[in-house]
Amino acid sequence: MEHVARTLVVTSVAALGACTLLGLFDAPLGGECEEDADCDLTGYVEDPAVRAVCDTIDLRCRCEDADGDGHMPAACRDLPFIGGGEDCDDADPEVNPDAVELCNGRDDDCDGRVDDGPEPPAHSQASCVAGTWTVTGCADGWDDCDGDGSNGCEAGLETWRTCGSCELRCGTGDTCEAGACLEVAVAMVSAGDRHTCAVRENGAVVCWGDDASGQLGDGEAGGWSGEPVLVGALEASGVWAGGTHACAVGEDGTVSCWGANERRQLGVAQPDVTAVPIALDLSGPVSEVGAGEAHGCARLDDRSVICWGDNSDGQVGSGEVASILAPKSALLEGAEAVRLAVGARHTCVHDAKGRVICWGDNSDYQVGVPERGRVYEPREAGLSGARAVTCGGSHTCAWLGGADVRCWGRNESGQLGDGTRVGPTFVPVAVSGLAEDVVEVAAGGEHTCARTAQGTAACWGANGRGQLGDGTTEDRLGPVLVSGLEGVRRIAAAAFHTCAVLDDGGVACWGANDSGQLGDGTTDESHVPVEVLGLP
């Protein structure tokens, strides 16, 4: 007759807490346990992968690491065949014997002591009492400017925000040396739809104006800023503002973009909006970028061009008809792009042979070819000898040297500058009345501006918001000087406002200002240049 054992193992309440019954079953000694022999003790689970042998205890009963931190709960400590039991809070994976003790009013490392010897916050000497840090001293060059003991001495005293002390704040993006603010000139400015961005000579990028889509790049989307804010921790050689986004080229030739991304204008699939710069994965180092209404392009060091984003009018130039595209090479067919220009919904380059090559929206002949509509592949405009090209809302202009500027496309506001409103036209027309040699041309929504060799600026076209800067709101069919502006080093035109970098390193803007895009701290429209605050 087969010998049958009936085993009952009872342990102390101290060892098991609420559990007092560890095993109760009938089974042959040395044989497998019955299928219904299990353990249903609080704090334990059945491990079906283990088949038990009946040797007085059901080995399928294992101690559970409920929080998954690799440590068994303290209730398991004295159980036979179990072991472990060092975790003093098995509901919190941040609490276990290997955890770092913090200043939070609890025993993080399960040594029986609360807040014993946690590491002080960075750059500080501090004491922890009842889960709260109190800063008692700071390392050299640091201070506790926000009064929050949890982050210690968070402020470095060699930055533009806190230069030498918590009270001294330099201009946005300026340099701090030995506790003194050193003004840093602006190297470049770019105007978007309702925001503006600039690069300082130390590589700092600042933006101001509308921030509804995070296009200011300061980490938080929403609202607006009437004065410059710093964009992340970028060190850039150039910045380009688009419709509701912006892109910058780093000193190392990488590209980062921020703002709206519903048409993939940032060059990445997600997210739809970002208030911090996102790096693009392009095929090589980049020389310059352009930002349109909802697309972007980059000219690489090898003089090829890559575009991305909205392609509903062919503005990516890859030959594809898809409405939204990831970065694609524009089909330049061997042409070497010397400079890049991106308009609202079309794109142009001028190549090493002086040709202007464009693609995208041609509904107003802004691509420069006679067939109206969408142009999905680069086409040569009827122009040669170009030294620079610029794209606006629905028109394009090229500088051929001296005072010779030619424009084509839409002209209902006089943005072609030929003294008429005749248009649209795919045939380049000469801008009339430029009295001085030109060194730069910038096309906006329905206006155009030129920077002269003498440091003045002249504009023409739509002026309903004062974007020509002549003190009026009258459209001009030919160039008029911007009022009181001298020492102009760079110029940028947007839909309804215009900005210029000046010889003193500052920036002046004029035109629409409903989102603070002029940077003077107000939302007041200005028909003459106003100074952007804090630059330099």
Side-chain angles (χ1 to χ4, degrees):
M1 181 175 179
E2 188 177 40
H3 176 72
V4 177
R6 183 179 180 86
T7 304
L8 174 64
V9 179
V10 179
T11 61
S12 69
V13 173
L16 288 177
C19 300
T20 58
L21 188 62
L22 185 62
L24 178 61
F25 51 84
D26 292 317
L29 284 175
E32 290 187 348
C33 298
E34 296 177 0
E35 292 296 329
D36 61 351
D38 64 1
C39 185
D40 188 19
L41 304 179
T42 302
Y44 301 88
V45 295
E46 181 183 1
D47 184 353
V50 177
R51 293 298 297 164
V53 174
C54 290
D55 51 2
T56 75
I57 188 169
D58 186 349
L59 293 183
R60 290 184 298 172
C61 205
R62 296 289 182 87
C63 200
E64 179 184 14
D65 176 16
D67 60 10
D69 62 4
H71 295 272
M72 297 299 182
C76 300
R77 185 176 297 127
D78 299 324
L79 292 181
F81 302 101
I82 298 299
E86 308 94 349
D87 195 338
C88 56
D89 185 353
D90 202 38
D92 188 345
E94 302 298 323
V95 176
N96 61 69
D98 293 331
V100 175
E101 189 73 10
L102 303 175
C103 180
N104 54 13
R106 68 182 185 183
D107 179 15
D108 299 287
D109 58 6
C110 295
D111 65 354
R113 299 185 298 273
V114 175
D115 293 342
D116 61 312
E119 188 70 22
H123 315 297
S124 69
Q125 298 90 47
S127 61
C128 177
V129 179
T132 301
W133 282 112
T134 299
V135 174
T136 58
C138 294
D140 289 344
W142 296 86
D143 206 343
D144 178 20
C145 292
D146 64 3
D148 181 1
S150 65
N151 60 7
C153 302
E154 84 294 339
L157 300 183
E158 292 291 331
T159 72
W160 68 272
R161 289 185 175 90
T162 49
C163 185
S165 71
C166 295
E167 290 72 33
L168 181 56
R169 182 184 178 95
C170 305
T172 306
D174 279 344
T175 297
C176 174
E177 290 187 11
C181 295
L182 301 180
E183 292 183 344
V184 177
V186 172
M188 174 187 178
V189 68
S190 180
D193 186 16
R194 297 173 184 266
H195 70 296
T196 312
C197 295
V199 176
R200 313 292 290 271
E201 289 184 349
N202 60 2
V205 179
V206 294
C207 296
W208 58 94
D210 184 25
D211 196 32
S213 298
Q215 58 263 54
L216 301 190
D218 63 344
E220 186 174 351
W224 60 280
S225 176
E227 58 184 273
V229 297
L230 194 65
V231 178
L234 288 180
E235 291 187 6
S237 59
V239 66
W240 291 264
T244 52
H245 70 295
C247 294
V249 175
E251 299 287 353
D252 58 357
T254 58
V255 176
S256 298
C257 298
W258 59 94
N261 193 39
E262 73 279 358
R263 303 292 292 176
R264 296 190 71 171
Q265 57 262 56
L266 303 187
V268 295
Q270 294 292 335
D272 288 341
V273 170
T274 178
V276 295
I278 294 179
L280 275 69
D281 184 14
L282 301 179
S283 58
V286 171
S287 299
E288 65 175 331
V289 171
E293 181 180 291
H295 79 291
C297 295
R299 180 175 63 86
L300 278 61
D301 285 357
D302 64 6
R303 294 188 172 183
S304 64
V305 172
I306 294 176
C307 298
W308 58 86
D310 185 16
N311 190 48
S312 55
D313 288 293
Q315 55 265 56
V316 169
S318 64
E320 301 171 70
V321 297
S323 62
I324 300 177
L325 289 174
K328 300 280 186 177
S329 294
L331 302 177
L332 293 180
E333 298 183 353
E336 295 184 350
V338 175
R339 292 298 300 270
L340 170 70
V342 176
R345 303 174 73 86
H346 73 295
T347 310
C348 295
V349 299
H350 85 269
D351 71 355
K353 298 179 181 179
R355 299 177 298 177
V356 175
I357 301 170
C358 302
W359 57 94
D361 181 19
N362 194 41
S363 57
D364 288 298
Y365 298 126
Q366 58 265 50
V367 170
V369 296
E371 302 86 9
R372 299 180 84 163
R374 301 178 179 92
V375 178
Y376 288 97
E377 296 184 14
R379 297 275 302 276
E380 186 175 342
L383 187 76
S384 61
R387 297 173 61 179
V389 63
T390 179
C391 296
S394 297
H395 71 293
T396 307
C397 295
W399 173 54
L400 281 68
D404 190 358
V405 177
R406 311 285 179 91
C407 299
W408 58 96
R410 191 172 184 174
N411 195 34
E412 67 178 19
S413 298
Q415 57 263 53
L416 302 189
D418 65 344
T420 77
R421 296 181 188 265
V422 176
T425 177
F426 65 89
V427 178
V429 297
V431 175
S432 60
L434 283 170
E436 299 173 337
D437 286 350
V438 171
V439 290
E440 183 182 17
V441 180
E446 293 187 6
H447 74 292
T448 313
C449 294
R451 174 171 65 93
T452 73
Q454 288 71 30
T456 62
C459 299
W460 57 94
N463 196 29
R465 306 295 298 276
Q467 58 264 50
L468 302 188
D470 66 343
T472 78
T473 56
E474 298 177 16
D475 292 355
R476 304 291 186 174
L477 305 185
V480 293
L481 285 175
V482 177
S483 179
L485 198 65
E486 297 179 348
V488 180
R489 289 169 46 200
R490 298 290 295 267
I491 195 162
F496 300 104
H497 76 290
T498 312
C499 294
V501 179
L502 306 178
D503 278 342
D504 64 4
V507 176
C509 296
W510 55 96
N513 196 30
D514 46 315
S515 296
Q517 58 264 48
L518 300 189
D520 65 345
T522 77
T523 55
D524 299 333
E525 183 173 291
S526 180
H527 306 155
V528 295
V530 293
E531 180 182 351
V532 176
L533 298 178
L535 298 178

